[in-house]
Amino acid sequence: IIPKHVFGLKGDVKDNVHYVDETTVLFPAGHNVVLYNTEQKVQKFIPGTIDTSGITCLAISPNKKYVAIAERAEKAMITIYDIHTLKRRKQLSTGESGSEVYVSMDFSPDGKTLAAQGGAPEWNLVLWIWEKTKVG
């Protein structure tokens, strides 16, 4: 099944609405991230990762080229996508988060590092040098 249009917004996701440019809004809906072009009234989709239990938070790089999507899993997972091609760039997962979820994320001003706040029970902060798939 290929989705054509999604109605609704997943409200329990941290930082769940972002402008990508003047006419494109990015938001989670179900187990997808939607890029909605407000002028053309067209949606594009980034599907959730198989074997995860839902999106928990989003972050957009400062240059608006990448989106980080955190998902609930046995070991919390972050996937980085190129917003323009919709291709997956990196998948990040480590036991250092101490949780099944990331509750908040943000890119550094230069976009090279991603800070991700793990959830309960440890609440660890993980600093990713994401292009190298490495914890900093």
Side-chain angles (χ1 to χ4, degrees), residues 13-14 16 23 25 30 40 53 55 60 70 92 96 115 129:
V13 173
K14 175 79 171 154
N16 66 353
T23 61
V25 179
Q40 299 172 350
S53 301
I55 297 167
I60 301 284
L92 312 172
E96 291 187 34
I129 303 167

Side-chain angles (χ1 to χ4, degrees), residues 30-96:
H31 200 197
N32 296 284
V33 171
V34 178
L35 290 117
Y36 177 64
N37 184 299
T38 59
E39 286 182 350
Q40 299 172 350
K41 310 284 190 243
V42 174
Q43 293 181 340
K44 295 180 183 176
F45 302 93
I46 299 172
T49 305
I50 295 173
D51 296 329
T52 63
S53 301
I55 297 167
T56 59
C57 61
L58 301 171
I60 301 284
S61 64
N63 65 4
K64 308 250 185 211
K65 186 173 180 182
Y66 303 106
V67 59
I69 303 170
E71 297 174 272
R72 180 182 301 273
E74 188 175 320
K75 286 194 303 188
M77 180 184 301
I78 300 168
T79 309
I80 312 286
Y81 285 89
D82 183 305
I83 290 174
H84 304 289
T85 65
L86 304 183
K87 293 193 185 227
R88 185 173 72 185
R89 287 289 310 270
K90 295 290 178 183
Q91 198 160 36
L92 312 172
S93 184
T94 180
E96 291 187 34

Side-chain angles (χ1 to χ4, degrees), residues 10-21:
K10 193 166 176 2
D12 61 346
V13 173
K14 175 79 171 154
D15 296 324
N16 66 353
V17 179
H18 296 273
Y19 268 101
V20 175
D21 56 37

